[in-house]
Amino acid sequence: MTRAKLPPWLLLLMPAFLILAAVVLVPLLLSLYSSFTPYHLTRPETLWKINFPFNYEKALTDLGFWKAFGRTVLLLTIALNLEMLLGLGLALMVSKVQRGQRTLRTMMMFPMMFSPILVGFMFKFIFNDNVGLVNNALQSMGLASTAIPWLVDGNLALFAIICAEVWMSTSVFAILILAGLYALPQDPLEAAKVDGCTPWQSFRYVTLPFLMPFIYIAMAIRSLDVARAYDIVQVMTGGGPAKRTELLWTMIGRTGYVDARMGYANAMGYIAILLSIAFTVYFFLKLQRARRELGMED
Amino acid sequence: MAQVHLKNLVKSYGALSVVHGINLDIAEGEFVVLVGPSGCGKSTTLRMVAGLEDISGGEIVIGDRVVNDLPPRERNLAMVFQNYALYPHMTVRENLGFSLKIAKKSQGEIDAAVNEAAEILALTPLLDRKPGALSGGQRQRVAMGRAIVRHPDVFLFDEPLSNLDAKLRTQMRVEIKKLHQKVGSTVIYVTHDQIEAMTLADRIVIMRDGHIVQVGTPLEVFENPVNTFVATFIGSPPMNLLPGVAKDGQIVLADGTAIPLPPGYKLAEGRRIQLGIRADNIMPEGHALPPTAHMAHVDMKVTLSEPLGTETVVYAQLSGTEVQAKMLNPRPVQTGEVLRFAIALDKCHLFDADTGLSLKA
């Protein structure tokens, strides 16, 4: 009796295939499939009924979904740009420090060491309208006469959330840009000085183009982070008040686990992922272009 | 175009002093080469002129302005760096025109200046390439072009050819010389290569340990070196130095070989000296050394010979010192062969054995 023998390379790769299939492929296919069904967590039999494309149509025609979508893009745009500017400034300042730079770099990374949930709680406290630090400070300095409802007013709440995001993640930009500054060749900068550049012009025409690849790498990483933003928002406002800080993933999370409408949640999830992919592709193309401009081959 | 004056120029990093009070006057349109071994302060001096290094003491005057506290952009000079220092994200055209763009010149002026510089340096076909797509020599030409377009008062060159291969270096040397003849600007050029210094300079400034050792035209420093350092630094192969003692109007070397005192020198009896002979002035007998009134002859054993085509450098032992001699109309020389060499005494130099200073009156 002969046993069919697998070729050795396949045999050796098999564990990796199996593990990947178990933890990635099967859940992915299952969730994709469930997004074609009216799957409800409390009614397992609904998993066997296909109603494609009902969930997708529903999501795409739901005003609430598009509001959350738009708000996510807004948060992403504001937070990323703010973090980039602040991170750039921070990196430029730290790079000028002569003594204690190592300590400063370490301190700069402290916010990254906190769990986003804790950051959420911290900022929820800071912006609390009764006992929060911000209102307290504003009132005792005489800048505000009444308590400002930071987490209740929709725009203010989004502002508070952006504050928390920026506080936590600016250092991602700062660290990556700092790495770029360390790698910056000094010769072209000196040439620029002799060529007549003011410090600002040197920065604008020589330093910044060189930093752009680093900035785009940070952007790509952070856009994935922010596009899936959930924890800070969930803790600070829970998407409220009255869904005015609802983001894609707080909406999807609630639909799936609170309302138990997993099929619909999965459909929205797949649409949301397209957003993440779009941003990543966008920044990756930007990165490639910036690298090509610098004469770095891909 | 402008004159440049360095007055008691000092550079120190904390307690470490690297340039010790240099004085130098450079005339309008002059090509001055600062030459010296690594660490002699020549690049630092140039960078102080450029404004890339602070001045610790003294004064730099360009034209009629003291520029000590002016940033580089207000000194109106152009610099060519050893590593080219091109802007990698700009095309050749943008690199060339960058300083004019910063100076807010009109696009028409920029184009005219860029095209003219590209024409001079044969860069026209490369104008739309990025520096990454250029060879070393082409990059170097772009770096020079970037300097020319500005019509600066002073050109500064910081070892511009040391990253090029030997053949290209010779070629670029000629181009730099032609360029200077064409534009006629004041040039300060730093190199550690004495051949570059000799071939390019109107005047050579030889530096060592942050001091100027000698200033003069290439022929002056070649023919009248002030000390053994200059004597061995300028000229290739380096001047042979033989320790000896003055005795009875002769120089007696360590092994007892006696050589007549070169004409024009008067030495106290017993004075310890070094006899300097260039390889061109010591040749095997019958090898085209122009006969003069003052010849000396020594026998030496050949240890090595380097045929160079038109001439051969012969290494031989004299009084325990290795001597390099030249042989024109070359013929094969056997190692170990003993040859009789003629020395042109009136071309020899005498230096004090202790201070190394020239004893020429």
Side-chain angles (χ1 to χ4, degrees), chain A residues 185-199 201-202 204-207 209-210 290 292-295, chain B residues 47 50 52 72-73 77-79 81-90 95 98-99 101-102 104 130 132 146 150:
Chain A
Q186 289 306 303
D187 280 2
L189 276 177
E190 292 192 334
K193 275 189 203 166
V194 179
D195 266 349
C197 287
T198 59
Q201 286 169 326
S202 297
R204 166 73 185 76
Y205 293 113
V206 183
T207 308
F210 190 83
R292 212 171 298 131
E293 290 234 316
L294 285 172
Chain B
R47 291 170 58 83
L52 295 171
R73 66 175 182 277
L77 27 82
M79 185 155 171
F81 293 80
Q82 177 174 358
N83 302 317
Y84 324 127
L86 302 179
Y87 308 116
H89 53 293
M90 300 183 195
N95 263 285
F98 183 64
S99 61
K101 182 176 149 194
I102 292 298
K104 301 208 159 51
K130 292 257 173 81
R146 203 167 56 176
R150 302 181 46 202

Side-chain angles (χ1 to χ4, degrees), chain B residues 128-170:
Chain B
D128 294 311
R129 295 223 200 143
K130 292 257 173 81
L134 301 179
S135 71
Q138 291 167 337
R139 286 180 207 188
Q140 190 56 58
R141 289 216 296 276
V142 177
M144 285 190 343
R146 203 167 56 176
I148 312 179
V149 291
R150 302 181 46 202
H151 299 292
D153 287 339
V154 183
F155 278 101
L156 307 178
F157 288 87
D158 189 5
E159 309 215 11
L161 305 183
S162 41
N163 283 3
L164 303 178
D165 64 52
K167 192 173 163 213
L168 208 51
R169 203 178 303 157
T170 317

